[in-house]
Amino acid sequence: MLKAENLSYSYDDGTQALKNVNLEVKKGEIVALLGKNGAGKSTLFLHFNGILKPTKGRILIEGEELKYDKKNLVKFRQKIGIVFQNPDDQLFAPTVEEDVAFGPLNLGLEMDEVQDRVEDALKKVGMDGFEKKAPHHLSGGQKKRVAIAGILAMKPDIMVLDEPTSGLDPKGASDILKLLYELNGEGMTIIISTHDVDLVPIYSSKIYVISSGEIIKSGTPKEVFFDVDLIRSANLRLPRVAHLFEILEKRDGFNFNGEYPLTISQARRLINGN
Ligand code: ADP
């Protein structure tokens, strides 16, 4: 559905932020791009809606190459919605409902349709009842929800979220991922960037690990975290549950064949022997 082919990008000051990146997202997946700060996650995401144009390589959506003229970009941006890392970069209208209505209004939709979409989107993210509130009076998690509603109201095929859990407390972070999981259950294809290794295995079907602008590993959470040395070389760590089992194996003589559970439910199954 969305593909990056041999993508390289250098900023004007010469920083090579992406090196020959290949990535594919299929319909209905939740894909996580995992990397430490400065690895190139935001730079890659800015290519996903054509804000940045690759120095080399190309972006394909449904097999069609992205072109950078205005008409093509408008068409492309209706298919792919980006939720930026900082909701304050996204929310600017005086009220929540005006903010969520902004995108659909720009699409030239009828007022009735816009109202339906705003109502629907706010309900989906659990922010109905906040219509008249000023976005800058909301908490971090609520702002993220409204930013997500604003993108949902555009009805994109794919939602791209740059660090959706950053700046949130643990409950807020897990709630946002739960919401994304629900949206995915309703058919939305989702790409997130994160360095939260504890939450990623619970929610994503596929992971790409990025380090210094290069994709150094991809696969299911199990495949990726099995390569413990690579994870650490990318300045990431194992999920806490997996780390606990690693310690039990290396220091306490248990034997899990290096296959550590990544989530609490996987640990429970391993302990129960099924
Ligand atoms: P991440 O999102 O993983 O934290 P970024 O994509 O923001 O990483 O950054 C990747 C690299 O590109 C870093 O080395 C960063 O310093 C550099 N970079 C990001 N934005 C710019 C810019 N506007 N100009 C020059 N270098 C940049």
Side-chain angles (χ1 to χ4, degrees):
M1 195 168 195
L2 178 69
K3 225 172 161 182
E5 260 183 19
N6 306 322
L7 211 69
S8 295
Y9 184 79
S10 296
Y11 282 104
D12 288 342
D13 67 358
T15 308
Q16 193 175 2
L18 295 177
K19 295 171 200 157
N20 207 34
V21 166
N22 285 288
L23 174 144
E24 187 175 1
V25 180
K26 299 207 176 88
K27 196 173 161 55
E29 283 187 321
I30 299 189
V31 172
L33 180 65
L34 197 58
K36 66 164 193 160
N37 284 336
K41 302 182 297 296
S42 301
T43 306
L44 181 56
F45 278 11
L46 291 173
H47 282 80
F48 286 160
N49 79 342
I51 292 176
L52 293 180
K53 192 175 170 186
T55 316
K56 227 188 80 216
R58 57 186 193 157
I59 298 279
L60 295 144
I61 175 156
E62 283 154 2
E64 203 182 317
E65 183 174 342
L66 171 59
K67 298 272 186 319
Y68 293 84
D69 57 282
K70 207 169 164 207
K71 197 169 142 239
N72 269 296
L73 282 178
V74 169
K75 191 176 88 176
F76 189 73
R77 286 176 185 160
Q78 281 174 31
K79 294 188 177 188
I80 301 190
I82 292 211
V83 179
F84 292 103
Q85 187 170 343
N86 183 355
D88 294 326
D89 290 343
Q90 201 147 347
L91 307 175
F92 57 90
T95 65
V96 164
E97 66 183 354
E98 286 170 273
D99 223 301
V100 179
F102 180 79
L105 279 174
N106 253 1
L107 293 178
L109 300 170
E110 300 279 332
M111 211 49 212
D112 279 359
E113 169 75 11
V114 173
Q115 269 165 357
D116 282 354
R117 285 193 181 198
V118 170
E119 207 175 292
D120 246 32
L122 285 174
K123 209 174 266 168
K124 270 196 179 143
V125 303
M127 286 298 286
D128 42 335
F130 289 81
E131 289 79 2
K132 305 285 180 213
K133 197 128 178 158
H136 62 270
H137 288 156
L138 300 174
S139 73
Q142 290 171 332
K143 282 185 191 172
K144 287 254 160 141
R145 284 171 187 275
V146 174
I148 293 173
I151 298 301
L152 279 179
M154 309 273 287
K155 298 205 170 175
D157 298 328
I158 305 180
M159 242 168 93
V160 177
L161 300 102
D162 196 0
E163 306 255 1
T165 59
S166 77
L168 300 182
D169 57 39
K171 167 94 171 57
S174 140
D175 285 349
I176 287 287
L177 283 176
K178 248 184 231 153
L179 166 66
L180 297 180
Y181 196 61
E182 282 163 21
L183 293 174
N184 177 254
E186 292 167 18
M188 180 69 76
T189 305
I190 291 176
I191 314 175
I192 62 168
S193 75
T194 185
H195 44 80
D196 192 331
V197 292
D198 291 308
L199 292 172
V200 150
I202 307 177
Y203 295 105
S204 59
S205 44
K206 192 162 151 200
I207 299 175
Y208 285 87
V209 183
I210 185 166
S211 177
S212 305
E214 279 180 272
I215 301 290
I216 55 167
K217 180 99 184 168
S218 66
T220 61
K222 202 174 157 192
E223 286 163 349
V224 166
F225 286 110
F226 188 64
D227 204 340
V228 181
D229 293 342
L230 174 127
I231 290 294
R232 294 201 169 114
S233 75
N235 275 9
L236 296 165
R237 60 168 175 81
L238 287 179
R240 293 209 192 283
V241 177
H243 189 206
L244 168 66
F245 277 75
E246 184 193 29
I247 292 171
L248 289 174
E249 182 167 86
K250 295 204 168 139
R251 296 197 201 147
D252 298 294
F254 288 88
N255 184 12
F256 306 110
N257 296 321
E259 276 194 56
Y260 311 126
L262 305 174
T263 64
I264 291 173
S265 48
Q266 286 175 14
R268 191 177 288 128
R269 263 180 265 137
L270 184 76
I271 290 167
N272 287 334
N274 54 31

